[in-house]
Amino acid sequence: RGRCRRDPRPSPVGNGHVPQCDEEGRYRPLQCHGSTGYCWCVDAAGQEIAGTRTAPGSTPPRCGSPGQCPGGCRPLPIAP
């Protein structure tokens, strides 16, 4: 299982994205690149889920909570 780094430096991947983490050190299911505006869903290990990337200015994908995305993102339940 990957642990999200709260390091403000860009990721070593070289794309300049700083992963967004929750308070418990897990990757937030929705990641957005601050300078490009692209957003995508990630799995519990922080890996992008294929087919979830959206272009700048479009509606971001609906991603599940941490640990719920390995088989694909699920929409978050809407509270009554």
Side-chain angles (χ1 to χ4, degrees):
R1 246 187 202 270
R3 295 296 284 175
C4 190
R5 293 176 35 215
R6 290 179 174 263
D7 192 337
R9 292 175 293 183
S11 74
V13 178
N15 64 4
H17 173 64
V18 177
Q20 290 127 28
C21 316
D22 68 14
E23 299 75 26
E24 296 176 18
R26 296 178 297 195
Y27 290 94
R28 291 195 183 276
L30 176 65
Q31 297 284 317
C32 293
H33 194 292
S35 56
T36 66
Y38 281 92
C39 294
W40 59 92
C41 298
V42 298
D43 63 20
Q47 298 299 306
E48 181 176 352
I49 297 170
T52 62
R53 186 171 288 249
T54 58
S58 62
T59 303
R62 291 180 157 219
C63 306
S65 61
Q68 288 185 325
C69 276
C73 286
R74 298 176 185 91
L76 294 173
I78 298 172

